[in-house]
Amino acid sequence: MKSKYTVLDMFSGAGGLSEGFFQQGFKFASHIEKDKYARNSLETRAIYHALKNSSNEKIYRDYISGKLNRDVFIQKFNELELPSIGLLQGEIFESNEETMMKDIKTHLAVIDSDSVDVMIGGPPCQAYSVAGRGRKPKEMKDDPRNYLYRYYISFLKNFNPELFVFENVPGITSANGGDIYSNFHKEAEKYGYKVEAHIVYATGFSVLQDRRRIIFIGWKDRYDLSYPEFPKKPPIKFPVSALFKDLPVLQAGEGTEQATKYSRSPSRSSKYLQKFNIREKNDVLIQHKARTHNKRDLEIYRQVINKWNCEKKRLKYNELDPEFQTHKNKNSFLDRFKVVDGDNYSHAILAHIAKDGHHFIHPDIYQLRSLTVREAARIQSFPDNYKFEGSRTAQYMQIGNAVPPLMAKGIAIEIEKMLNEIL
């Protein structure tokens, strides 16, 4: 699929939001992301799309199957002299902001675009989240990430796209007393945009996860446009367990980061995986390795899984056997050990999964472990051939911070409709 529209991607992460626009055929002027591992993952995925569109997908398949290392993979891609995948930029500072903008404008000519049609992205959400502010109120109030949205506004002013998409956690509406939310609206309106923001549910896009994001959409105020009607939360058609049926059973510490076989053929995998192209016929299973856990944590996992599977009740931390209550804080954050609901939607996959996995426990008591990278990625609706670069901790962080690709594609479809109305 090809689109005539060009997108500038701010605070890209590992590319969850970008993936939806890639799949819808948008061209990328640039991706801007601070973290080097997320940037590498995004580069890998951008190369995948370029190779797929040019009938050279085998090079990518050879890479994720372990036949090529990353240097050779990139070298082989460069030798094809395909159109640019989009300029990759690092962290934005006041000192490099102007230079970065000039580089992007130069790159627009390389991809044969006169201007940026749509700008997308959202800065790191930890400082805006209600949970983050609850744990560290003083630190979060003074966190410099509170003000990264100003770079978004600066690029919006400079590139003057027809539309923009700004996404974040719902907690941004109350962060710093609501000033950030209101200031973003005022700044965007000052530069000629009409802005609307609504809470959007990932489940409305068939993501098997109870995840909410606030999606700001802005368009130049001379256009007669309206905010898209995104789908609401539908009845459950596929439980989370549908995501796991073709994955090898693992005990804590088992599995591999490298390419391995599924436990079922593509035709015997769940209808969900087939319908939404999570798993394709020629995929290999990658990044399905379970964390190791100590005996104490495994016994806690056993207790909370039993409680959930037998009674559908969450076992709070202060309800564990006294010998397992080693934390001093027994009055708050009592759901620190939480089982994924295999019969329903999962609770939201967050970047916290990079720390220990206790909040994302596999529902199968016979596996007795936390989620693998691939399981977390599937809950987020990432395709199985999406390779996350960096350490396993970095991979979890990238997945937890991402916009689910199925949700992103739904947004991209509506943005393309809006652009078709005005251009």
Side-chain angles (χ1 to χ4, degrees):
M1 179 184 294
K2 291 185 178 180
S3 174
K4 60 186 177 182
Y5 302 122
T6 300
V7 57
L8 171 58
D9 185 18
M10 303 277 294
F11 309 105
S12 308
L17 186 56
S18 315
E19 178 70 7
F21 283 81
F22 268 125
Q23 291 185 16
Q24 202 57 23
F26 282 73
K27 294 188 295 184
F28 282 82
S30 183
H31 308 272
I32 302 172
E33 169 54 37
K34 170 185 176 180
D35 182 79
K36 67 176 182 178
Y37 298 121
R39 203 161 59 244
N40 285 345
S41 297
L42 184 56
E43 180 183 35
T44 297
R45 194 61 183 175
I47 291 174
Y48 159 77
H49 283 290
L51 291 171
K52 182 178 181 180
N53 292 337
S54 63
S55 301
N56 288 288
E57 189 176 344
K58 184 179 183 301
I59 295 174
Y60 181 78
R61 297 290 175 177
D62 286 346
Y63 170 51
I64 64 172
S65 67
K67 295 177 182 178
L68 302 175
N69 65 35
R70 194 162 190 273
D71 289 340
V72 174
F73 163 63
I74 293 175
Q75 178 186 337
K76 283 184 173 291
F77 168 71
N78 290 335
E79 288 171 354
L80 294 174
E81 297 184 351
L82 296 173
S84 170
I85 60 171
L87 191 64
L88 287 157
Q89 302 271 18
E91 186 173 6
I92 311 171
F93 299 100
E94 288 185 15
S95 58
N96 70 357
E97 185 179 5
E98 187 174 337
T99 300
M100 194 177 285
M101 289 177 179
K102 288 180 180 178
D103 289 344
I104 294 170
K105 288 176 180 178
T106 299
H107 189 72
L108 283 170
V110 173
I111 62 173
D112 196 28
S113 290
D114 296 326
S115 60
V116 170
D117 298 306
V118 57
M119 202 168 93
I120 66 173
C125 62
Q126 288 85 350
Y128 302 142
S129 73
V130 174
R133 282 182 275 146
R135 291 188 182 96
K136 299 178 180 179
K138 176 68 166 64
E139 291 91 331
M140 289 302 176
K141 183 177 181 181
D142 298 332
D143 194 317
R145 291 175 297 182
N146 276 313
Y147 306 102
L148 288 174
Y149 77 92
R150 292 173 178 169
Y151 287 120
Y152 190 99
I153 292 292
S154 179
F155 275 68
L156 188 69
K157 174 187 176 184
N158 196 282
F159 287 95
N160 195 32
E162 306 299 317
L163 302 173
F164 70 80
V165 178
F166 181 86
E167 65 82 25
N168 222 277
V169 292
I172 196 174
T173 59
S174 58
N176 280 23
D179 286 347
I180 293 170
Y181 179 78
S182 61
N183 287 344
F184 182 87
H185 274 271
K186 291 174 184 177
E187 289 294 309
E189 289 166 359
K190 183 170 72 175
Y191 296 120
Y193 290 92
K194 183 175 180 181
V195 187
E196 285 192 35
H198 297 279
I199 304 295
V200 179
Y201 295 83
T203 49
F205 301 89
S206 299
V207 180
L208 303 186
Q209 178 187 176
D210 194 9
R211 188 185 192 93
R212 300 182 305 148
R213 304 295 283 186
I214 188 165
I215 305 296
F216 298 73
I217 295 180
W219 56 90
K220 290 183 177 177
D221 54 18
R222 66 175 179 270
Y223 296 134
D224 183 21
L225 295 173
S226 58
Y227 194 95
E229 291 188 17
F230 291 120
K232 305 297 183 184
K233 186 175 182 177
I236 298 170
K237 294 182 179 179
F238 302 98
V240 166
S241 60
L243 299 174
F244 301 154
K245 291 180 179 179
D246 63 337
L247 299 179
V249 172
L250 302 178
Q251 300 295 321
E254 294 181 344
T256 178
E257 292 282 324
Q258 308 308 315
T260 190
K261 294 181 179 180
Y262 295 90
S263 60
R264 295 187 182 188
S265 65
S267 61
R268 294 183 63 241
S269 65
S270 75
K271 291 181 180 178
Y272 177 88
L273 299 177
Q274 298 174 46
K275 180 176 181 179
F276 296 105
N277 299 313
I278 304 298
R279 177 183 171 185
E280 298 180 357
K281 288 183 179 180
N282 56 345
D283 278 343
V284 291
L285 177 59
I286 58 173
Q287 299 176 321
H288 185 52
K289 180 174 175 60
R291 279 183 164 113
T292 56
H293 302 289
N294 61 44
K295 290 182 179 180
R296 172 186 163 276
D297 287 341
L298 289 176
E299 182 52 39
I300 292 174
Y301 286 12
R302 191 184 308 278
Q303 290 183 35
V304 296
I305 295 172
N306 265 326
K307 189 75 170 180
W308 178 250
N309 288 345
C310 296
E311 303 177 37
K312 292 301 177 189
K313 291 183 179 179
R314 301 290 185 189
L315 191 62
K316 298 184 183 301
Y317 185 75
N318 57 9
E319 296 173 340
L320 292 171
D321 293 342
E323 64 186 291
F324 297 114
Q325 297 181 36
T326 58
H327 291 276
K328 293 181 180 179
N329 184 355
K330 299 178 184 180
N331 298 312
S332 59
F333 308 114
L334 300 180
D335 64 345
R336 55 170 58 99
F337 291 93
K338 193 167 186 176
V339 182
V340 171
D341 187 351
D343 300 323
N344 207 312
Y345 295 122
S346 170
H347 56 287
I349 301 294
L350 306 175
H352 182 79
I353 194 173
K355 294 185 180 299
D356 52 37
H358 297 337
H359 202 65
F360 305 94
I361 301 170
H362 196 290
D364 183 3
I365 197 167
Y366 297 105
Q367 300 195 53
L368 202 61
R369 57 175 175 80
S370 57
L371 297 178
T372 67
V373 165
R374 186 49 50 194
E375 288 163 344
R378 279 187 169 189
I379 293 174
Q380 276 278 60
S381 77
F382 278 98
D384 276 5
N385 58 32
Y386 205 113
K387 180 175 172 62
F388 299 93
E389 305 287 358
S391 67
R392 187 168 56 182
T393 297
Q395 294 163 18
Y396 279 124
M397 184 74 72
Q398 293 167 47
I399 293 166
N401 281 332
V403 175
L406 278 181
M407 183 179 185
K409 185 175 182 180
I411 293 170
I413 288 170
E414 295 301 322
I415 292 299
E416 187 171 47
K417 289 178 183 176
M418 295 172 77
L419 287 168
N420 286 340
E421 284 189 44
I422 59 179
L423 296 179

